[in-house]
Amino acid sequence: MRSDLIRDYDAFLCVAEAGSFVGGARTLGVSASAMSAIIRRLEARVGVQLLHRTTRSVSLTDQGNALKSRLQGAFDEIDAATQDLLEHRQSPAGTVRIVISRDAYDDVIAPCLADLHRTYPHILLDIHLEEVCVDIVSERYDLGFRLGEYLHPDTVAVPVGPDLRQLAVASPSYAAAHGLPSHPQELAHHACLNWRKQVDGEPYAWEFEKDGIPLSIAVQGPMIFNDRSAAVRAAMDGIGIAMWLEHRLQPMIDDGLLLPVLEEWAPRHRGVFAYYYRNRHMSPATRAVVEFLRRRAM
């Protein structure tokens, strides 16, 4: 009986934090209709209405808000008690929920994933690839990965990758037909292949720097992608100029498929960091993963 109630309370927290049955159901791994049935059962059990429902979203009643506050503290205590027990294991164990972009995953996690598993076979990595920055606390992630320039000041950040450099590139055929810019401002006269993370977001403003002076250029061109590799492929076809990470472009530059553009305007910047919030309890499993990645980056 008690375990059923705890599961229902967990479902309620998922809905309350997501602000919808659909979002809460996605977190819990059930259907939206099943989630709705669970909340109705819980409200019948406790005898009060916990949520106001509309066709598009849900909001907390006063009783629901009070319950959410108390449950969050209780579940945090349960998590902490569980992690304290796990600390007595010889090998770290447990689930580590990670949110990371595709590029960061390919550069930081994927190359050492097999070694990480062999080193810590009892750790379950729950890896979510997401291009949009999310709140790791509300989404219940143990670790997030971001570029250093986007870190929140309340986070503890550990470098897990080298410094990075973004480079603009064009194909030899494009250079022969249109020439190449000698200053970022001249990009206004070129076909630029841009990208953006979200459908409703603004296209990326290309960032340059020289002699310590930064310069941001809102480029224009015939195409916008949500995947930089697709923009680079279009650049190789001679359609325009693209920008991506230098280490991703280097093989194509070495093969003569692409030419560097404005190379002297492309400084290095801080790379990928693993981060977590200072006031969050860090499990032994999470600590082990962070330390493993930190050592690999040294």
Side-chain angles (χ1 to χ4, degrees):
M1 181 70 71
R2 177 177 292 179
S3 62
D4 289 342
L5 183 58
I6 291 175
R7 282 195 293 269
D8 288 356
Y9 280 151
D10 189 31
F12 165 74
L13 272 181
C14 290
V15 173
E17 291 174 351
S20 70
F21 284 109
V22 172
R26 188 181 301 115
T27 300
L28 201 63
V30 300
S31 67
S33 59
M35 180 65 86
S36 181
I38 292 172
I39 299 303
R40 287 198 302 271
R41 181 178 67 203
L42 177 61
E43 288 178 327
R45 189 169 188 173
V46 299
V48 295
Q49 183 178 351
L50 300 173
L51 299 171
H52 295 300
R53 297 155 173 85
T54 68
T55 55
R56 294 187 177 183
S57 64
V58 297
S59 60
L60 296 172
T61 64
D62 290 342
Q63 294 86 353
N65 193 54
L67 179 62
K68 176 189 174 185
S69 297
R70 298 192 67 176
L71 287 179
Q72 285 176 324
F75 274 90
D76 285 346
E77 283 298 317
I78 292 173
D79 289 341
T82 301
Q83 298 308 326
D84 286 344
L85 292 175
L86 290 174
E87 287 180 358
H88 293 284
R89 294 179 61 120
Q90 188 172 9
S91 176
T95 299
V96 180
R97 297 192 70 229
I98 290 172
V99 61
I100 187 170
S101 70
R102 169 70 67 176
D103 282 349
Y105 173 80
D106 289 342
D107 289 343
V108 174
I109 301 293
C112 64
L113 196 58
D115 286 345
L116 178 57
H117 176 63
R118 283 192 292 268
T119 305
Y120 299 112
H122 302 298
I123 292 178
L124 170 61
L125 292 179
D126 187 348
I127 302 171
H128 183 73
L129 301 180
E130 176 62 72
E131 298 305 315
V132 179
C133 292
V134 301
D135 182 348
I136 61 172
V137 174
S138 63
E139 298 294 332
R140 297 186 176 186
Y141 289 108
D142 299 297
L143 283 178
F145 291 79
R146 287 185 188 175
L147 294 177
E149 59 190 296
Y150 298 120
L151 290 168
H152 192 280
D154 290 337
T155 59
V156 177
V158 179
V160 293
D163 288 348
L164 300 174
R165 187 186 190 211
Q166 289 200 110
L167 194 61
V169 288
S171 71
S173 63
Y174 180 91
H178 305 282
L180 295 177
S182 59
H183 189 282
Q185 297 288 6
E186 295 177 14
L187 288 169
H189 307 296
H190 285 269
C192 295
L193 306 169
N194 210 352
W195 73 285
R196 57 184 165 198
K197 292 183 179 181
Q198 298 170 275
V199 174
D200 58 349
E202 290 294 322
Y204 172 67
W206 291 14
E207 296 175 280
F208 300 94
E209 184 179 317
K210 188 175 182 181
D211 299 328
I213 301 174
L215 183 61
S216 179
I217 304 293
V219 300
Q220 302 293 325
M223 300 174 189
I224 300 175
F225 299 85
N226 72 338
D227 182 281
R228 291 207 191 195
S229 63
V232 171
R233 175 58 189 268
M236 285 193 292
D237 290 337
I239 299 173
I241 301 174
M243 176 177 272
W244 203 19
L245 295 170
E246 181 183 31
H247 68 277
R248 296 295 185 87
L249 297 167
Q250 197 61 54
M252 291 164 275
I253 294 174
D254 292 342
D255 289 341
L257 300 174
L258 292 171
L259 301 173
V261 177
L262 299 170
E263 196 168 7
E264 69 276 16
W265 285 86
R268 294 196 172 274
H269 56 83
R270 293 192 298 170
V272 177
F273 286 70
Y275 72 96
Y276 56 93
Y277 280 87
R278 299 179 190 279
N279 58 350
R280 295 295 302 278
H281 177 83
M282 177 182 267
S283 71
T286 302
R287 190 179 300 114
V289 170
V290 172
E291 182 59 22
F292 179 91
L293 295 175
R294 185 192 66 79
R295 290 197 304 268
R296 288 293 292 255
M298 293 176 62

